Every structure is written in C-alpha cells, then in structure tokens.
Amino acid sequence: MSDSEETLLEFPCRFPIKAMGRASEDFQTLVVDIVERHAPGVEATAISTRPSNGGKWLAVTVTIEAHSKAQLDAIYAELTAHERVVWAL
C-alpha cells in the first residue's frame, strides 16, 4: 500500500505532534530532539508547551511539515518508546 492508501492525510502537510510527561526543565528539549531526528529544522514558533493544572505534567506540541506516514510512524515509535514520555498523540 502507498502512503495515500494508508492515511487520509495528503503529504506534505503541517502536523502537530503532542507528547506528555512529568514536568522538568529538560522535557521540552527531549521531545523536540526526538522529533527533530525525523523532521529536522523545527522552528521555535512551532513549539508550544502547556503545564497541567497542578504543574506535575507538561504537554509539548511540535508542529512539523510531515512528508510521509512512515515519518510520522517513526516519530511516534521513538516518542512512545522513551521512558519519560507518558503518551503521544
């Protein structure tokens, strides 16, 4: 199957990737580093964070220019495999 048969997305496209983990000084850097291994050149304006109400958790969203389903699959596989990432959307 081609990428177009496996997904409703049309590539290239802007795609937000969100990961959540325990709030720490370096969690944002961790997420951005993983995403940039698969989508180099993420701009600072494409990164946003949101702490939980109690401040225990941090959600990091990185919007990338996605080029294929395989690229997105690789990003999610690496994020979810990392012990500090609780979930990724």
Side-chain angles (χ1 to χ4, degrees):
M1 283 187 162
S2 71
D3 281 345
S4 62
E5 293 170 343
E6 294 178 14
T7 181
L8 298 176
L9 297 172
E10 289 186 25
F11 296 101
C13 64
R14 302 283 295 158
F15 193 88
I17 296 168
K18 183 180 280 190
M20 180 175 272
R22 290 217 180 254
S24 66
E25 284 186 25
D26 66 339
F27 186 70
Q28 175 182 328
T29 302
L30 170 83
V31 172
V32 172
D33 286 349
I34 290 172
V35 171
E36 280 199 317
R37 279 197 274 280
H38 305 278
V42 172
E43 296 189 20
T45 57
I47 303 165
S48 63
T49 60
R50 182 169 177 235
S52 65
N53 288 339
K56 183 176 179 179
W57 304 98
L58 183 66
V60 179
T61 303
V62 183
T63 302
I64 65 164
E65 183 77 17
H67 293 281
S68 69
K69 182 179 181 303
Q71 178 190 35
L72 294 175
D73 289 346
I75 293 169
Y76 284 112
E78 188 171 350
L79 282 170
T80 58
H82 199 285
E83 68 272 0
R84 292 183 56 201
V85 176
V86 176
W87 56 255
L89 295 174

